[in-house]
Amino acid sequence: MPKVALVTGGSSGIGLATVRRLAADGMEIVIADVNEKGHNLVEQLHKDGIKASFQHCDVSVEEAVKQTVEEVKKQYGQLHVLINNAGVGNREIKLTDLPVLEWQKVIDINLTGVFLGMKYAIPLIEESGGGAIVNVSSLLGFKGKKLMSAYNASKAGVITLTKNAALEYGKHNIRVNAVAPGVIDTPIVDGWKEQEQKWEVLSRANALRRVGTPTEVANAIRFLVSEEASYITGTTLMVDGGGLTY
Ligand SMILES: NC(=O)c1ccc[n+]([C@@H]2O[C@H](COP(=O)([O-])OP(=O)(O)OC[C@H]3O[C@@H](n4cnc5c(N)ncnc54)[C@H](O)[C@@H]3O)[C@@H](O)[C@H]2O)c1
């Protein structure tokens, strides 16, 4: 029986690259995303020989996440892999000017979304005999960046939440890790790309002096869910071209 993987935010960028990478390993994929593009995407993936389905799901809404996992159980009967990847950036704004609603939205999607994904998927992964979870944090979960307080805080929270889950579910044969991408060329950084000078500086602020690709992050995620990482849990793998070292 093929393994089943649930990928949040799988309609675009790092999530989509991860869908393709995990499918290449023979997994059946459920994409959970607010982006309705996911429906057409699934048709395209089918043409490429990838077994995937789409669930409309806002990861910040408890009922939606619960229903998505229930649907996975109904359609596939099992779940082995969860990739909590859905996320949003924040408008660049000083902490004292940041409206509480904007703060809340970023925390709800980037941090509570990861909590909800694990809260509802872990029992099904356990029922399926165990598996692996990867949460997508960020280089900005490790270091501060001016005007990005909500994003910084949300991604730092993901790193510690990953450790909690690893500790609590290791004995149930569930490994929980995170990845921390640096600047990766996806639509989330389009705003930075439009500012030519800023993009030049940001994209070179790492040891490799370039931005990363979604596939480079997907490869790290694929490693963490694979048997090759069987003794790795509770850790966060930097996929930042040396951005933290810089
Ligand atoms: N691109 C980067 O430079 C970078 C760096 C570090 C971390 N990340 C993280 O990687 C993850 C993926 O981002 P990406 O770069 O591929 O960007 P992206 O914008 O291409 O993809 C994000 C996906 O998440 C989905 N999404 C947003 N809000 C959602 C919600 N409430 N419920 C369900 N789905 C939702 C979007 O529709 C989209 O498909 C995010 O968590 C992001 O914070 C990205």
Side-chain angles (χ1 to χ4, degrees):
M1 284 270 275
K3 286 191 173 168
V4 180
L6 175 60
V7 182
T8 75
S11 297
S12 172
I14 293 168
L16 178 55
T18 303
V19 166
R20 291 189 178 278
R21 191 63 194 83
L22 298 184
D25 279 352
M27 293 187 201
E28 292 191 4
I29 315 289
V30 184
I31 296 171
D33 203 303
V34 286
N35 188 340
E36 285 298 329
K37 201 170 82 181
H39 284 296
N40 297 334
L41 179 67
V42 161
E43 279 177 32
Q44 182 56 49
L45 291 172
H46 287 170
K47 283 185 194 149
D48 297 343
I50 291 172
K51 286 185 184 157
S53 62
F54 177 77
Q55 290 287 322
H56 179 94
C57 173
D58 181 338
V59 295
S60 66
V61 176
E62 180 174 10
E63 196 50 34
V65 177
K66 186 168 176 263
Q67 276 179 19
T68 295
V69 174
E70 280 170 4
E71 201 51 43
V72 171
K73 187 171 179 173
K74 208 161 88 186
Q75 284 184 27
Y76 300 86
Q78 52 181 356
L79 181 66
H80 307 95
V81 168
L82 169 67
I83 312 298
N84 279 312
N85 161 78
V88 289
N90 74 231
R91 175 166 69 106
E92 291 185 87
I93 185 168
K94 273 182 147 172
L95 184 152
T96 46
D97 296 332
L98 176 63
V100 173
L101 275 180
E102 274 186 54
W103 158 271
Q104 198 65 58
K105 185 176 176 221
V106 174
I107 299 292
D108 283 353
I109 296 172
N110 292 4
L111 181 57
T112 308
V114 172
F115 160 70
L116 290 173
M118 294 199 288
K119 176 176 170 61
Y120 287 103
I122 283 175
L124 183 55
I125 298 176
E126 232 180 297
E127 260 179 64
S128 311
I133 297 172
V134 176
N135 299 322
V136 179
S137 176
S138 171
L139 171 60
L140 295 185
F142 285 90
K143 64 185 201 183
K145 185 170 186 337
K146 273 187 214 163
L147 314 179
M148 295 287 286
S149 53
Y151 189 80
N152 274 140
S154 69
K155 293 298 185 179
V158 168
I159 293 166
T160 325
L161 190 58
T162 298
K163 294 180 187 179
N164 280 98
L167 286 173
E168 291 175 20
Y169 297 96
K171 62 177 178 292
H172 301 282
N173 194 30
I174 300 175
R175 293 183 300 103
V176 189
N177 291 295
V179 289
V183 182
I184 309 297
D185 194 358
T186 74
I188 212 172
V189 295
D190 279 352
W192 287 343
K193 275 170 100 172
E194 283 159 15
Q195 306 165 58
E196 210 176 302
Q197 270 184 332
K198 185 173 188 167
W199 181 244
E200 180 65 15
V201 173
L202 276 176
S203 56
R204 293 186 178 277
N206 57 66
L208 299 180
R209 316 287 287 164
R210 66 169 177 86
V211 294
T213 66
T215 304
E216 287 175 309
V217 183
N219 286 341
I221 293 173
R222 180 263 165 198
F223 165 67
L224 287 172
V225 302
S226 76
E227 271 308 300
E228 288 160 27
S230 55
Y231 200 55
I232 301 177
T233 195
T235 199
T236 299
L237 179 57
M238 306 303 304
V239 193
D240 65 343
L244 187 57
T245 311
Y246 188 73

